[in-house]
């Protein structure tokens, strides 16, 4: 019997209010009056509608953000006051944790347990971390190597109006991880959340206003990527785009942003390897490998979607992961027992199943799963595919679902080459008891994050980003805030 979850009164109330866009401090519909339906991935039902913003709305939002930047109600505030406001946002997220967790699960499908334990507290942690940076952005005083007396200094100034474009896998967390450093640096922003999962970003906008951010400092425009997102990326009034999403769309932003040569941070796709060395604690590694691919139903940019294991340990490890895949409780995120929720949309489910079909046709072997699950909603069984060849699509391309491809390895010297054999370079994890082998291998893998005896973990102070076609730049930590600044040099002859 499916468990019927009763949403809190606060969430019911939140759902009854309209979801509108935030432009210049006002809550508005799209100028065109058009809306988009947003669906519950657990059963396909329509939750509500959101405004279908387009170029016109983006234009208004950029004008509002530009005005707020030039008039300096935000960058002109003392850093300590800005810090207090961002800290207040964190507190407000925590005060409304139930609503945010429930909305996120309803909109994205992820287990409520995960929304409560990770997404919502994570978003608060991001605002708290970035609050601290408001008072710490600073320049340097380099010595000039010239005759005469000079004083040189560098200033870190906000880059200006920033466009923040986020994906659907961690909607609230992605919004927080971009808004936090942008605001700490003194920028003003236009946020374009993913069309499938805009609800928590819009409710976050309410908290930003309640915390006391001046009108126009943060604007939120919902709508389709090809309309609202593309208009933001092309806009001459935007100084920087920070984008998280697919490599294909990331590449299109290079063209879109060239008009005014805006700065770009690109957090893109991945096809990350999990590598188990012969001396690893195999049972820990099995659990880690399963979690790395099945967490968030595989909709994680750093998901461990390729597995490499020495041939001697291969059957033991793969059987272990197959067995663990059977332990996942598939169901709606609102069921407290659920550990594997649906994919975000019907389109994503079909895309994932299409990859599995391709693999079948190419002669790969489906070791477990490989099918849609249930009669309603967008569920896919945890899937493991063996007998793959390195050039198969299923090995080379990001699937973004609960699908693991497994490869036995005969020569350990080949591991780095195998790990590096895709266009991506986001992350990798290595399982071994020999830390020296782990470091040696870590140095040879071209990826932005390498974890040893752990799946992918991180936080607001841990730089994150990709080598190769996994992106440009790094988010989080000092690199994260610097990417929202311009460096100015001032030299004075004394
Ligand atoms: P996506 O299709 O690239 O969309 C990402 C965002 O870009 C959405 O807001 C989307 O809007 C918008 N967009 C789409 N077309 C656009 C265009 N032409 N111009 C401007 N914006 C446009 O990615 P997704 O399917 O939502 O998310 C999955 C991808 O994100 C995966 O590839 C994953 O690896 C990547 N990801 C990377 C990281 C990282 O940190 N490296 C983290 C999470 C996810 P609509 O959704 O409204 O169309």
């Amino acid at each position: 019997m499916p468990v019927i979850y009763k949403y809190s009164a606060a969430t019911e109330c939140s759902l009854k209010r309209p979801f509108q866009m935030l432009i210049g401090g006002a809550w508005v519909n799209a100028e065109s009056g058009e809306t988009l339906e947003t669906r519950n991935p657990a059963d396909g039902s329509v939750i509500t509608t959101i405004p279908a913003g387009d170029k016109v709305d983006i234009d208004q939002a950029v004008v509002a953000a530009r005005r707020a930047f030039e008039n300096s109600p935000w960058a002109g505030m003392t850093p300590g006051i800005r810090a207090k406001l961002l800290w207040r946002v964190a507190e407000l997220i925590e005060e409304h944790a139930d609503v945010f967790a429930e909305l996120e699960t309803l909109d994205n499908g992820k287990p409520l347990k995960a929304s409560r334990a990770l997404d919502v507290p994570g978003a608060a942690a991001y605002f708290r971390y970035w609050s601290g940076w408001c008072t710490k952005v600073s320049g340097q005083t380099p010595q000039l190597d010239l005759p005469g007396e000079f004083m040189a200094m560098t200033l870190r100034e906000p880059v200006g109006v920033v466009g923040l474009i986020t994906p659907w896998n961690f909607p609230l967390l992605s919004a927080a991880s971009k808004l936090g450093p942008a605001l700490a640096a003194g920028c003003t922003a236009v946020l374009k959340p993913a069309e499938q999962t805009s609800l928590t970003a819009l409710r976050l906008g309410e908290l930003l206003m309640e915390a006391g951010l001046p009108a126009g400092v943060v604007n939120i425009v919902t709508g389709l990527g090809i309309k609202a997102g593309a208009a933001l990326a092309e806009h001459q009034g935007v100084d920087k785009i920070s984008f998280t999403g697919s490599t294909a769309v990331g590449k299109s932003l290079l063209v879109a942003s060239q008009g005014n040569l805006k700065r770009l941070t690109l957090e893109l796709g991945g096809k990350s390897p999990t590598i188990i060395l012969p001396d690893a604690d195999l049972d820990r590694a099995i659990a880690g490998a399963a979690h790395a691919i099945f967490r968030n139903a595989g909709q994680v940019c750093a998901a461990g979607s390729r597995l490499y294991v020495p041939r001697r340990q291969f059957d033991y490890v793969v059987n272990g992961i197959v067995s663990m895949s059977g332990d996942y409780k598939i169901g709606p995120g609102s069921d407290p027992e659920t550990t594997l929720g649906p994919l975000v949309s019907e389109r994503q489910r079909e895309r994932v199943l299409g990859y599995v079909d391709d693999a079948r046709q190419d002669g790969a072997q489906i070791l477990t799963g490989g099918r849609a699950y249930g009669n309603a909603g967008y569920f896919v069984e945890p899937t493991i595919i063996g007998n793959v060849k390195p050039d198969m699509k299923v090995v080379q391309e990001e699937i973004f679902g609960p699908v693991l491809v497994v490869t036995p390895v005969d020569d350990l010297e080949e591991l780095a080459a195998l790990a590096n054999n895709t266009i991506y370079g986001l992350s990798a994890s290595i399982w071994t008891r020999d830390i020296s082998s782990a470091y040696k291998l870590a140095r040879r893998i071209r990826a932005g994050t390498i974890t040893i005896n752990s799946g992918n973990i991180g936080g607001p102070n841990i730089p994150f980003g990709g080598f190769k076609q996994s992106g440009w730049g790094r988010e989080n930590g000092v690199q994260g805030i610097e990417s929202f600044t311009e460096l100015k040099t001032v030299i004075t002859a004394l």
Side-chain angles (χ1 to χ4, degrees), residues 267-281:
E267 293 290 345
L268 308 178
K271 189 76 185 175
S272 301
T274 297
I275 299 165
I276 300 181
L277 297 183
D279 66 342
D281 174 339

Side-chain angles (χ1 to χ4, degrees), residues 125-404:
Y126 268 95
F127 275 102
R128 216 163 251 134
Y129 173 80
W130 290 113
S131 147
W133 266 102
C134 294
T135 51
K136 289 158 197 78
V137 176
S138 51
Q140 294 179 330
T141 50
Q143 291 273 8
L144 278 190
D145 184 19
L146 290 173
E149 274 198 87
F150 294 92
M151 174 76 177
M153 62 179 168
T154 60
L155 307 174
R156 282 232 168 249
E157 298 185 348
V159 70
V161 173
V162 296
L164 311 175
I165 303 178
T166 54
W168 42 256
N169 56 342
F170 292 97
L172 180 65
L173 214 46
S174 300
S177 69
K178 291 193 189 295
L179 281 169
L183 293 171
C187 298
T188 61
V190 178
L191 169 66
K192 207 302 279 176
E195 92 207 47
Q196 303 90 340
T197 57
S198 296
L199 302 188
T200 47
L202 292 174
R203 290 297 178 245
L204 176 63
E206 294 181 345
L207 300 192
L208 295 170
M209 298 308 288
E210 188 181 336
L213 265 77
V217 170
V218 173
N219 306 272
I220 305 174
V221 176
T222 51
L224 297 177
I226 45 167
K227 292 190 174 178
L232 186 58
E234 281 168 7
H235 206 291
Q236 301 279 329
V238 173
D239 299 297
K240 174 194 166 87
I241 292 284
S242 174
F243 171 82
T244 299
S246 60
T247 293
V249 174
K251 285 182 182 177
S252 79
L253 299 186
L254 302 187
V255 180
S257 61
Q258 71 183 12
N260 65 336
L261 217 58
K262 52 176 74 67
R263 280 73 181 117
L264 277 180
T265 297
L266 302 174
E267 293 290 345
L268 308 178
K271 189 76 185 175
S272 301
T274 297
I275 299 165
I276 300 181
L277 297 183
D279 66 342
D281 174 339
L282 291 185
D283 293 328
R284 263 187 75 196
I286 287 168
H291 184 68
I293 184 63
F294 300 135
R295 177 170 88 96
N296 214 38
Q299 302 165 115
V300 178
C301 53
S305 50
R306 295 181 288 147
L307 177 74
Y308 296 100
V309 191
R311 193 172 290 278
R312 222 150 48 86
Q313 285 86 7
F314 185 75
D315 286 347
Y316 182 83
V317 168
V318 171
N319 290 338
I321 304 175
V322 168
S323 160
M324 284 204 75
S325 73
D327 296 339
Y328 280 86
K329 169 87 171 57
I330 307 177
S334 57
D335 181 339
E337 300 293 310
T338 292
T339 50
L340 193 89
L343 300 185
V344 76
S345 63
E346 187 172 5
R347 182 160 165 255
Q348 183 63 8
R349 184 190 61 189
E350 294 316 305
R351 188 172 168 270
V352 169
L353 293 174
Y355 273 106
V356 178
D357 280 346
D358 278 350
R360 255 190 214 109
Q361 279 165 25
D362 289 348
Q365 192 185 358
I366 312 302
L367 302 174
T368 188
R371 292 167 306 186
Y373 174 90
N375 300 322
Y378 315 133
F379 298 92
V380 171
E381 295 172 339
T383 300
I384 302 177
I385 305 179
N387 198 27
V388 291
K389 299 205 171 59
D391 60 349
M392 283 182 183
K393 261 172 79 173
V394 81
V395 179
Q396 289 296 324
E397 296 182 16
E398 182 178 49
I399 298 174
F400 225 54
V403 180
L404 177 67

